[in-house]
Amino acid sequence: MIVKERKKPKELLLLELLSNRKMLSARDYKKYQNLSLGYEGELRFDAYTKKYGEKLIMLNDLLLRHNEQYFQIDSCVITNDAIYLFEIKNYQGQYYFDKDILYKVPNKEIENPILQRNRATSLFRMFLQSKGIQSPLKSYIIFIHPQCTIYQTPLNQQIIFHSNIQSFLTKLNENQYSSKKSQSIVKVLESSVHQEFLPENSLSYTFDELQKGIPCCQCGSMNTELINRTIKCSDCETEEVASDSIIRCINEFQELFPSEKLTSGIISKWCGNSIAQARCKRMLLKHFSKRGETKNVHYIKEEEAHP
Ligand SMILES: [Zn+2]
């Protein structure tokens, strides 16, 4: 049972939207690739837990804080006897450990996931103690990619490779679940989760520099055109009902520019003027709440209007 689902990381989402509309800098592109790979690995792990661990009480993607320090837990399983933490790595290729340093073959040093895992585990342990929870912690690193080999893996470091995941989860699934104690731990964790935030200036972009238009819902290409009531992609030929495309563009605009006012004028411009302002206005009136009068008319999300 998944108590808390995983969400696409905010930074990955923004980079994905930006990559459709501008050329990412080399640094941002690298970040985009790494985040995509990491997220793919996490989804792959989730697919295994759904298949082999249907009894598991599972919380994914926990951002917690202890002593002013934030730490992230990729996945967490609560059994009656222990709490299991999982750090998921989607490394592909050949690696080796040498004196506590991890290298990618031939000799590129990379961040040691054992240190990262140990930091998160230690903070998590202190966090539990501060909440009065006594439960043994077991933490594992999962190398999820089928083509990942790590030589000289240190012993006793609770590392699981792709080939062992199925048997590990099947065994974990045989544990006893849902005692009162584990329910109370779930409650504490759920109420302690922090919303993901992006460090200021982690990504920089402006409305003017981004390409306007409607990206394809399938491949992200900006080579789309409005034909009757559908948006058609010239690259992959996917078609989407235009009203769905407009809503998608409005949501993208809000993700990228959360502090900008939503108006029919700006959305029409954002869609590359392919959608008339009057039509954008109808969509906004239908799906959002109107605020202000005459020149100050703008729209806000329903849930913000009626919290
Ligand atoms: Zn397409």
Side-chain angles (χ1 to χ4, degrees), residues 124-143:
F124 192 80
R125 186 176 293 115
M126 291 189 280
F127 164 83
L128 290 181
Q129 279 164 3
S130 75
K131 303 282 181 193
I133 298 170
Q134 305 287 342
S135 193
L137 270 191
K138 300 186 178 189
S139 67
Y140 293 83
I141 298 174
I142 312 257
F143 289 102

Side-chain angles (χ1 to χ4, degrees), residues 59-72:
L59 292 95
N60 291 319
D61 202 8
L62 298 176
L63 181 64
L64 298 166
R65 192 169 78 157
H66 182 71
N67 273 354
E68 312 291 313
Q69 292 186 76
Y70 285 94
F71 59 101
Q72 174 90 34

